[in-house]
Amino acid sequence: HNEAFAALARFCQHDRNRRSTSSASAADNESKDPNVFYLDGPDTATSLALIDKHGFDPSCCYVANRHLSTYKILQQYLPEENVIHATAAEALTPPCSNASDCNDDSSDYDGSSFSDVDFACYYFDGCGGFTPHIIGMMSAALIRPETTSSSSTNNLHHLPKTTAIGYSLMGGKKDVIEKEMDINRALSNI
């Protein structure tokens, strides 16, 4: 899946550059690797594949992991600010505007977020085949609060950006087709 992920990310970046109305900004972005978000484990297989095999700049690779030991391992390969000790949904959700609404004593999550990063590609690993987790990750990545009327006027003039969403459904071999359909239906509603 890492080869497909790298190829899709580069395709999305190329398409974004092609659609760009400013040739100067497109030229600047052509040499820049796309920002990608993915889940990675203690073996750092996806990080190493992107960086070593596909030549991605580590500063364009973003991960979240809820296990402290894995989080620390990932920080050895990626810039510290690109690794968040949290679930993917937490890491992609915009920070709370009201701090009292964000306090959850059951978690070590510090409220850091990648919600302001423009990702060309996301890869969500659905270990265990539990579709609500994948749908939650996609929702956190793609759904944003309503913008104010003054800023939405500016957003109307920008072309939509090409973004790829990938996921895996490992484990839970029953009803795989139905699970995939549930995820695709949810994505089409987002």
Side-chain angles (χ1 to χ4, degrees):
H1 73 271
N2 292 327
E3 285 71 27
F5 181 56
L8 277 171
R10 290 227 160 93
F11 170 81
C12 290
Q13 183 75 1
H14 176 75
D15 192 63
R16 288 169 170 218
N17 292 338
R18 184 185 61 78
R19 292 171 170 238
S20 177
T21 57
S22 165
S23 58
S25 67
D28 289 342
N29 287 332
E30 194 64 41
S31 62
K32 182 182 181 301
D33 284 322
N35 289 324
V36 293
F37 177 87
Y38 54 94
L39 300 176
D40 210 352
D43 63 356
T44 66
T46 300
S47 296
L48 293 177
L50 290 172
I51 296 165
D52 294 341
K53 185 173 182 182
H54 297 286
F56 274 68
D57 182 334
S59 69
C60 296
C61 299
Y62 294 79
V63 298
N65 196 292
R66 62 189 179 94
H67 301 287
L68 184 59
S69 59
T70 302
Y71 160 78
K72 289 179 178 181
I73 292 169
L74 290 165
Q75 284 185 317
Q76 296 172 20
Y77 295 91
L78 300 172
E80 285 187 24
E81 62 272 14
N82 289 26
V83 183
I84 292 180
H85 180 218
T87 66
E90 290 169 334
L92 294 168
T93 300
C96 294
S97 57
N98 183 353
S100 65
D101 292 341
C102 298
N103 292 337
D104 180 5
D105 295 332
S106 65
S107 169
D108 292 331
Y109 175 55
D110 68 1
S112 299
S113 174
F114 295 139
S115 64
D116 61 342
V117 177
D118 183 21
F119 292 109
C121 200
Y122 298 88
Y123 185 76
F124 302 119
D125 191 354
C127 291
F130 191 60
T131 59
H133 284 171
I134 295 172
I135 293 168
M137 291 183 257
M138 290 187 320
S139 298
L142 301 173
I143 296 175
R144 293 291 173 259
E146 294 286 329
T147 58
T148 63
S149 59
S150 62
S151 64
S152 64
T153 304
N154 294 335
N155 289 336
L156 293 176
H157 300 305
H158 297 291
L159 293 172
K161 294 182 179 180
T162 305
T163 304
I165 306 291
Y167 61 88
S168 61
L169 283 171
M170 302 303 293
K173 294 182 181 6
K174 286 185 170 184
D175 304 324
V176 173
I177 294 171
E178 187 60 36
K179 290 177 180 183
E180 186 174 353
M181 293 301 298
D182 289 344
I183 292 168
N184 291 333
R185 278 191 290 268
L187 182 58
S188 69
N189 288 329
I190 294 173

